[in-house]
Amino acid sequence: MSVLPPLTILLAFLTAGALSLIVLFAIGLFPLRHPKSSAPGTARLLFRDGLLVDSDRILVSESFDDTASVESWDAFRNWLDQRFGPLAKWSETGSGTMTALDPEDSATLSLDQKVDGLHVLLRQPNVADPIHLHRAWRLEQLASQCLDILGDAPCAMRCRNERTGAVWHNKAFAGFSDGDIAAICSADVTGTQPERIRLPGTQTDQERYVQLSAGTAGDMSVLYVNDVTQVARAEIVRREFIQTLTKTFANLTTGLAVFDRHRSLALFNPALMDLTGLSASFLSAQPAMTRFFDRLRDQKVLPEPRNYESWRNHIDEIITSASDGLYFEDWSLPNNVTYRVTGRPHPDGAIAFLIEDISDEVALTRRFRNQIDVRQAALDACDQALTIIGPTNVVLLCNKPASVLLGIDPDSSFAEMSVQDFLQACAERLPDDKFWANAETNILKRTRSHAVVADVAGRPHTCLITPVRGNSSLVSISSDAKSDTMESGSLKMLHA
């Protein structure tokens, strides 16, 4: 038995390995990554398990214009669907040939499902690289779509080639009149900030406002035109409204101080300076709310507290109450001056304070109160029991003799005393069913009537019902039987 030399064994192994590689290449299980390009007009690709594993066009994935790397079947079918129609999903792929959707396009796409994967063949006669041409076709389609989008854009655009002078504009720009186009093109929009111009109206159209912006793209100058008519009109209305408010605030006799969300003075009117004595320079500096009240204290416009700590707590209470919409207080100041201060919250965290001088109102109220007290004292000094029923048929006034005689006290009662309750008290102390039964009708009709009735002890009393000024009725009860003296003295004052 002969033994093969080692060199012979090594050559045998090399020969077997070479034959195996040839078989693998033949059946496509070990593909070359970048083989030599095939004939002009064709492009071959191999997909396995949904991924691109081989192509005869080098850098084929880099030839696609998609942002992501197109190395999967899903990306490849999306890349071709605009030209050949929708391709099947990977799980549904088979063999077949597709032609381009455009009848004038001679390209074809062949699919051949084999054991080693899906073989794809893109053919186009008289073309060196179908992949490169398809990419150019997609770019052309994209450019056409972009032109359609820009042509229908609501923003007007005008492009001009500075080298050739060629001009392109979209439909929105073409909608302007010749005069408007001349005004737009003559505007100086070389700066970085947009410029707003006014387009005069015609007999049928109102004036318009447009905002112009400029840009460049290579050797192209681009002009963007946005219609801002509604915005401009809203700004005009707002400016006029603010001017009206400013004039209104300036003529108000009530002081106004508005603090923003940061508690700084944002708005005030001249009346605030007149009422508080604060200078315009101080208020224009937008002082903080606490500093504002501190200055009011220095000006003696706030009630003086006993100590600074209680004063600071009082200011905090004012701010908190105004924020909740609950602050309402009268400030009694020296020299008989009274201010009514109201704090109200405003939108966005702002607070407004209204300061009103009510000194005259307080003085008038006090004077009226003094007069009423004097008249009440005079009526209480009378011997006659006097009661006035007002126009709403409730007891308005009752002197002390009437309270003692009838056992009533309307001033101390929370609820108003009606005419029925009053007559019931009269009937209990001065029983006379016939007179008191007709008394309600005489009081409501403001007619005059009188009678002499006796109390429970049998003492006679003269009762007189007579109308008085203000659609009211006076009921007087006297122990004196002489009726001719009922309207003398203090009664004449009630009739006046």
Side-chain angles (χ1 to χ4, degrees):
M1 181 175 178
S2 61
V3 180
L4 294 176
L7 181 59
T8 304
I9 296 175
L10 179 60
L11 291 175
F13 276 110
L14 292 176
T15 303
L19 291 175
S20 300
L21 289 175
I22 292 173
V23 172
L24 289 175
F25 282 127
I27 65 176
L29 295 179
F30 194 85
L32 290 173
R33 188 58 184 169
H34 296 299
K36 293 183 180 181
S37 298
S38 59
T42 62
R44 298 179 183 273
L45 303 95
L46 176 62
F47 289 88
R48 185 180 299 135
D49 296 330
L51 298 176
L52 178 66
V53 296
D54 191 19
S55 173
D56 64 350
R57 300 290 177 180
I58 61 174
L59 303 178
V60 62
S61 62
E62 297 178 4
S63 298
F64 302 137
D65 57 300
D66 301 87
T67 56
S69 179
V70 185
E71 293 186 353
S72 67
W73 173 253
D74 290 337
F76 182 75
R77 59 192 287 265
N78 292 335
W79 189 62
L80 291 172
D81 60 359
Q82 291 186 358
R83 191 176 183 187
F84 293 95
L87 276 68
K89 298 180 180 179
W90 176 254
S91 59
E92 301 173 356
T93 56
S95 301
T97 302
M98 304 177 66
T99 58
L101 299 177
D102 187 356
E104 297 182 0
D105 191 347
S106 60
T108 60
L109 180 68
S110 299
L111 307 179
D112 188 8
Q113 186 72 56
K114 295 183 179 181
V115 178
D116 61 332
L118 180 64
H119 293 256
V120 179
L121 179 62
L122 179 61
R123 291 190 183 94
Q124 187 164 5
N126 304 322
V127 173
D129 188 353
I131 295 291
H132 181 74
L133 182 64
H134 180 71
R135 181 175 182 274
W137 181 89
R138 280 181 57 86
L139 291 176
E140 182 181 356
Q141 296 297 315
L142 180 61
S144 178
Q145 292 175 358
C146 290
L147 283 177
D148 292 340
I149 293 173
L150 294 176
D152 296 333
C155 172
M157 289 180 286
R158 176 183 181 271
C159 300
R160 184 178 185 274
N161 191 306
E162 298 298 338
R163 181 174 53 84
T164 63
V167 175
W168 175 90
H169 58 259
N170 62 355
K171 296 178 182 178
F173 192 90
F176 289 107
S177 63
D178 295 340
D180 292 343
I181 292 177
I184 292 172
C185 295
S186 61
D188 183 12
V189 203
T190 57
T192 57
Q193 295 297 328
E195 179 181 351
R196 180 182 297 181
I197 65 172
R198 171 182 169 273
L199 302 178
T202 61
Q203 294 180 352
T204 57
D205 297 330
Q206 295 182 349
E207 63 179 11
R208 301 168 63 185
Y209 293 86
V210 294
Q211 185 168 284
L212 308 180
S213 304
T216 57
D219 58 354
M220 300 284 290
S221 61
V222 186
L223 182 63
Y224 304 95
V225 185
N226 287 299
D227 191 331
V228 292
T229 303
Q230 297 300 326
V231 176
R233 290 175 180 172
E235 291 176 352
I236 294 174
V237 171
R238 183 184 63 178
R239 183 166 57 251
E240 293 176 349
F241 179 70
I242 292 176
Q243 292 175 353
T244 302
L245 285 181
T246 302
K247 294 178 181 178
T248 303
F249 291 156
N251 295 326
L252 284 178
T253 57
T254 301
L256 175 65
V258 179
F259 295 87
D260 58 21
R261 64 163 75 178
H262 304 295
R263 301 297 184 262
S264 297
L265 183 63
L267 178 66
F268 66 94
N269 65 342
L272 183 68
M273 296 185 291
D274 298 335
L275 294 173
T276 62
L278 299 178
S279 63
S281 59
F282 172 76
L283 297 175
S284 300
Q286 298 182 333
M289 187 180 298
T290 54
R291 188 183 175 199
F292 172 80
F293 283 107
D294 282 341
R295 185 61 66 90
L296 289 183
R297 178 173 176 265
D298 296 338
Q299 296 290 116
K300 300 186 182 302
V301 182
L302 278 171
E304 184 66 24
R306 294 183 178 179
N307 54 65
Y308 186 80
E309 183 179 357
S310 63
W311 155 250
R312 180 56 62 191
N313 294 334
H314 181 61
I315 292 299
D316 294 338
E317 292 175 359
I318 291 177
I319 297 175
T320 302
S321 300
S323 301
D324 297 335
L326 302 175
Y327 185 74
F328 183 85
E329 187 177 2
D330 291 342
W331 291 352
S332 296
L333 307 178
N335 301 325
N336 295 325
V337 175
T338 304
Y339 287 169
R340 175 164 293 167
V341 182
T342 306
R344 290 289 182 267
H346 274 228
D348 199 23
I351 299 177
F353 284 95
L354 301 175
I355 302 178
E356 182 182 3
D357 188 351
I358 60 170
S359 303
D360 294 339
E361 177 183 344
V362 171
L364 184 62
T365 302
R366 290 172 179 171
R367 185 163 56 251
F368 284 161
R369 185 62 188 174
N370 291 334
Q371 293 178 359
I372 292 175
D373 291 342
V374 170
R375 292 192 179 190
Q376 182 69 44
L379 293 176
D380 291 341
C382 293
D383 295 334
Q384 303 159 356
L386 303 176
T387 305
I388 295 181
I389 309 298
T392 57
N393 299 321
V394 295
V395 175
L396 291 183
L397 186 146
C398 178
N399 68 349
K400 187 174 182 179
S403 299
V404 174
L405 177 63
L406 303 177
I408 60 175
D409 190 5
D411 293 337
S412 62
S413 176
F414 177 76
E416 295 178 332
M417 176 175 283
S418 64
V419 64
Q420 292 81 9
D421 296 335
F422 169 73
L423 294 177
Q424 182 179 356
C426 293
E428 292 176 355
R429 296 300 180 94
L430 304 170
D432 190 320
D433 296 339
K434 181 178 180 181
F435 177 74
W436 299 119
N438 297 326
E440 182 176 358
T441 302
N442 296 327
I443 291 175
L444 297 180
K445 291 184 177 181
R446 314 302 180 208
T447 56
R448 182 184 179 93
S449 65
H450 71 280
V452 177
V453 297
D455 58 16
V456 292
R459 294 188 295 271
H461 296 268
T462 301
C463 297
L464 174 64
I465 301 175
T466 181
V468 294
R469 182 177 299 178
N471 195 26
S472 301
S473 295
L474 169 66
V475 179
S476 61
I477 304 174
S478 175
S479 59
D480 187 1
K482 295 181 179 181
S483 60
D484 56 349
T485 63
M486 296 297 295
E487 295 186 10
S488 63
S490 61
L491 294 182
K492 293 182 179 180
M493 177 180 62
L494 294 173
H495 285 284

